[in-house]
Amino acid sequence: MSAMAGRIRDEDIALVRERTSVVDVISEHVTLKGAGGRNLKGLCPFHDEKTPSFTVAGDRNVYFCHGCGKGGDAINFVMEIDHLRFTEAVEKLAARAGIQLRYIEGGSAPVRQQQGQRQRLVAAHAAAAQFYAEQLMTPGARAAREFLAQRGFDRGAAETYGCGFAPDSWDALTKHLRQLGFTTEELTVGGLAKPARSGSLIDRFRRRLIWPIRETGGDVIGFGARKLFDDDDGPKYLNTPETPLYKKSTVLYGIDLAKREIGKRGQAVVVEGYTDVMACHLAGVPTAVATCGTAFGSEHISVLRRMLMDTDTFKGEIIFTFDGDAAGQKAALRAFADDQRFVGQTFIAVGPDGMDPCELRLARGDTAVRDLVASRERLVSFVLRTTIGGFDLDSAEGRVGALRAAAPLVAQIKDRSLRPEYGRILAGKLGMEVEVVQRAVNSAVKGEPVDARPPRPRLSPDDPQILVEREALKLAIQVPALAGPVFDNAEADCYSDPQHVQIRQAIAEAGGAVRGVSGPNWIAAITDGCGDLMTQSLVNQLAVEELRYDGDADPHYVTVTLARLQLAAVDRRVHNVKSKLQRINPVTQKDEYFALFSDLVSLETTARALRDQASSGL
């Protein structure tokens, strides 16, 4: 190892510094933008920040962070970002620049060349990737080639992404790498091989399709392996274990190819698998990346934030393409929780029929994949929609249950200024009053039980709705011949007061206003149809109460009164239909959507006519 190899010659270290651009090295990890003058700025990779304070002076080949105080040249940066010793960092940059290093051991000892652990592991992985890629063209790899072909990937795509095959042998790769001079320790520490029960060393991957996983700089640091044969009793996907190179919580497959486009477009598309990354890139979505054997987490967010320049000034988008099934929805909820940790706008795109990008490209072509990303939906909207989707929103119990489930999600939104707006959106989807939803959200913010009860209806005699209900009933009781069919056309659901509903039903059971003849027998028939003494008393009260109209009632007054009564009920139906429309996807539920839309048009036409009648004056 480097510690045993002696000291690198000073002139070689100076040459590495001279030939290495600190801008190029840092740009592999951080998106840099002009900051005035010759300097560049980005988000510091060494501490969490929202406003960029990490400055790079390209003409002087140095960097400095005004937030955490770290700075230096390219060697210092590589030591910090990759957790390397000085010698190892110099070796990595020397290999990058094609510089042959010379070592001095014991002052006058002969020059020796020996790399540090990291560079040895990187070299072993590069050799392994080449070996696997060569194996893909052998007769034994037919199943791997067919797997790729069936998913729309030709030989050129396989070569671009370095796809390979682990042969049907216990130690083919191990023997190959040992012949190249790599040690047993290097193969096991790097996760390329593992001890067998017999004590010998065997390959970690066997009879599987292989993808090399690269870091942002392009070095292979691990592999993903997909099962091809039914008699393989291992998991569907197998990844390199945690090693000095491979940290799954920070690794994103495809980041080496996507990093420049992510910074350029201000967008990162997070997909679920290796083939999805390939499909997106080939379809014209070059910003796609995927996690490797783990859930998308906060450290992945940090990696993307640096590339997106996700700050108050530079906005970026992270778009998830989770499946539309239960597992995908669970992943979206998890991402929503993480979404609160960073400023960037987060979206979700769910393919038609739950297809992932690879399936979508195969079934409908490249344009469909681009359209999938373009049709993204804000993650918070998706989470709310899928959360309330499990409830029967046509029932009062279902709406209350949905509110209790969704209000805490709105309360989680860290940006307080957004909560009222999403509260209004939620109210629209539930068909509930905005005040009820906002109260429930406020309760969740305080950690209190969500109060989903609607406010008590205003039953004051002076309430406008109550007044118009009483007036309509008085017309039917006092002058049924005049009220006639106009009254009877207004169903019981036009009334909000329970007693009024009961009286309206009693009138219908007595034959309706159209059959009524004013007088004590008619009033007695209505009274007998009411089940309790208080409602019977109200009938008698309405029978003698003066109409709110100067002069005798006439057909015009009946028309205006009943129009006002029905208008409130029609407005409620319009509200409910609009709420349902918000919950229906017009693309995947086209027939249901247009049927409801037709109902809405009809209801709004009715409402306009009633509004004209109600405001015609008396």
Side-chain angles (χ1 to χ4, degrees):
M1 298 299 168
S2 296
M4 303 295 295
R7 184 170 59 86
I8 302 172
R9 289 192 173 188
D10 291 341
E11 55 266 38
D12 288 355
I13 296 172
L15 187 62
V16 168
R17 286 196 173 103
E18 181 182 326
R19 291 190 183 176
T20 301
S21 165
V22 72
V23 173
D24 290 346
V25 172
I26 292 174
S27 292
E28 293 176 356
H29 301 271
V30 179
T31 294
L32 299 174
K33 295 184 182 287
R38 299 180 182 178
N39 289 348
L40 300 170
K41 265 194 172 183
L43 290 176
C44 180
F46 306 124
H47 80 285
D48 193 28
E49 62 178 6
K50 293 183 178 180
T51 302
S53 58
F54 185 83
T55 304
V56 181
D59 55 344
R60 293 184 295 280
N61 235 13
V62 294
Y63 70 92
F64 180 76
C65 177
H66 297 276
C68 67
K70 291 184 178 178
D73 57 20
I75 297 174
N76 298 116
F77 182 83
V78 171
M79 288 174 67
E80 287 284 350
I81 202 75
D82 290 327
H83 306 289
L84 302 179
R85 293 173 301 204
F86 178 83
T87 300
E88 292 175 326
V90 173
E91 289 168 346
K92 178 175 181 177
L93 293 174
R96 173 194 176 104
I99 297 171
Q100 193 84 3
L101 295 176
R102 296 166 296 172
Y103 296 78
I104 302 172
E105 186 170 17
S108 59
V111 174
R112 290 182 58 198
Q113 295 185 30
Q114 186 168 349
Q115 297 171 301
Q117 183 193 56
R118 188 183 193 283
Q119 286 304 101
R120 289 288 295 170
L121 296 181
V122 167
H125 279 75
Q130 182 179 352
F131 172 81
Y132 286 138
E134 291 170 352
Q135 291 295 315
L136 186 63
M137 295 300 113
T138 62
R142 180 179 175 181
R145 295 193 298 273
E146 289 179 347
F147 179 94
L148 291 170
Q150 289 167 1
R151 284 154 181 78
F153 304 121
D154 58 17
R155 182 169 179 173
E159 290 175 352
T160 297
Y161 295 91
C163 297
F165 178 69
D168 186 7
S169 169
W170 289 107
D171 59 356
L173 177 67
T174 298
K175 287 180 179 178
H176 175 74
L177 294 179
R178 275 180 164 168
Q179 288 173 357
L180 295 177
F182 294 101
T183 66
T184 296
E185 181 185 5
E186 287 168 342
L187 298 188
T188 53
V189 169
L192 295 165
K194 59 184 180 180
R197 292 175 183 173
S198 63
S200 60
L201 205 60
I202 61 172
D203 298 346
R204 179 167 295 279
F205 307 117
R206 177 172 167 262
R207 303 171 70 215
R208 286 176 173 253
L209 175 60
I210 301 292
W211 283 271
I213 300 169
R214 303 175 188 273
E215 64 172 0
T216 53
D219 287 336
V220 178
I221 56 174
F223 296 95
R226 210 278 187 189
K227 181 167 72 171
L228 296 171
F229 303 99
D230 292 337
D231 61 349
D232 184 340
D233 59 1
K236 185 176 180 179
Y237 282 95
L238 190 62
N239 292 90
T240 294
E242 294 280 308
T243 73
L245 294 184
Y246 186 87
K247 307 293 183 187
K248 65 182 180 182
S249 61
T250 62
V251 171
L252 288 167
Y253 176 73
I255 195 71
D256 56 310
L257 298 174
K259 63 184 178 185
R260 295 196 185 280
E261 287 296 326
I262 289 173
K264 180 180 175 182
R265 301 189 183 200
Q267 176 195 86
V269 178
V270 181
V271 298
E272 291 194 321
Y274 307 118
T275 56
D276 292 329
V277 170
M278 295 172 66
C280 283
H281 288 191
L282 294 172
V285 183
T287 57
V289 294
T291 58
C292 301
T294 186
F296 187 85
S298 57
E299 291 183 81
H300 295 121
I301 288 173
S302 297
V303 172
L304 292 179
R305 282 187 67 236
R306 294 195 294 268
M307 295 181 181
L308 288 167
M309 281 293 288
D310 186 303
T311 71
D312 292 336
T313 305
F314 303 102
K315 291 292 184 183
E317 291 183 357
I318 295 181
I319 303 169
F320 296 100
T321 59
F322 295 126
D323 291 340
D325 59 14
Q329 291 179 18
K330 185 177 180 181
L333 283 166
R334 188 167 54 242
F336 175 74
D338 281 332
D339 175 43
Q340 303 305 311
R341 304 181 192 175
F342 65 106
V343 179
Q345 311 221 19
T346 314
F347 297 78
I348 188 165
V350 178
D353 302 320
M355 286 189 286
D356 60 36
C358 183
E359 294 167 337
L360 189 59
R361 177 174 179 261
L362 202 59
R364 305 186 186 180
D366 292 351
T367 302
V369 177
R370 295 194 295 272
D371 288 346
L372 168 65
V373 175
S375 65
R376 64 199 181 278
E377 176 184 9
R378 290 190 183 277
L379 181 62
V380 61
S381 297
F382 173 85
V383 168
L384 289 178
R385 180 167 59 79
T386 54
T387 298
I388 68 177
F391 296 87
D392 176 15
L393 300 183
D394 291 330
S395 71
E397 293 79 7
R399 289 192 292 273
V400 168
L403 178 59
R404 285 177 175 151
L409 298 176
V410 178
Q412 283 181 36
I413 299 174
K414 186 171 285 187
D415 187 342
R416 294 182 180 181
S417 62
L418 289 176
R419 288 179 197 157
E421 182 57 31
Y422 279 105
R424 282 189 285 273
I425 291 173
L426 179 58
K429 291 181 181 296
L430 294 176
M432 300 178 77
E433 295 295 329
V434 174
E435 293 79 7
V436 177
V437 174
Q438 297 291 18
R439 190 173 70 246
V441 171
N442 292 336
S443 296
V445 169
K446 298 174 185 176
E448 300 170 353
V450 172
D451 182 4
R453 295 171 301 171
R456 295 183 65 181
R458 295 175 299 173
L459 298 178
S460 165
D462 296 328
D463 182 276
Q465 178 63 24
I466 298 301
L467 288 174
V468 77
E469 290 177 17
R470 290 177 69 94
E471 201 70 2
L473 292 173
K474 283 191 287 184
L475 286 169
I477 294 170
Q478 295 180 22
V479 285
L482 185 63
V486 179
F487 175 89
D488 290 339
N489 284 336
E491 300 290 343
D493 62 358
C494 292
Y495 298 84
S496 60
D497 186 288
Q499 284 188 307
H500 294 173
V501 172
Q502 193 178 156
I503 295 172
R504 172 63 185 84
Q505 290 171 336
I507 293 172
E509 290 169 3
V514 72
R515 291 190 180 181
V517 178
S518 57
N521 291 333
W522 171 238
I523 295 170
I526 298 172
T527 304
D528 291 343
C530 296
D532 62 84
L533 293 175
M534 290 192 66
T535 306
Q536 291 174 354
S537 174
L538 179 58
V539 171
N540 291 320
Q541 180 182 343
L542 294 174
V544 299
E545 188 174 293
E546 294 289 337
L547 293 172
R548 299 172 61 84
Y549 182 57
D550 292 334
D552 295 331
D554 56 31
H556 180 63
Y557 182 63
V558 172
T559 299
V560 170
T561 301
L562 271 299
R564 290 175 176 172
L565 176 72
Q566 293 176 85
L567 179 59
V570 172
D571 282 343
R572 287 195 295 271
R573 290 174 196 154
V574 167
H575 179 75
N576 290 336
V577 171
K578 284 182 176 179
S579 175
K580 285 185 179 181
L581 280 172
Q582 289 188 46
R583 303 193 294 268
I584 294 177
N585 188 317
V587 177
T588 59
Q589 299 169 279
K590 185 185 299 183
D591 292 343
E592 187 178 354
Y593 182 88
F594 282 109
L596 268 177
F597 187 78
S598 177
D599 290 344
L600 177 62
V601 171
S602 177
L603 283 169
E604 289 187 327
T605 300
T606 301
R608 280 194 297 273
L610 290 170
R611 197 167 282 111
D612 289 343
Q613 291 179 0
S615 61
S616 62
L618 294 173

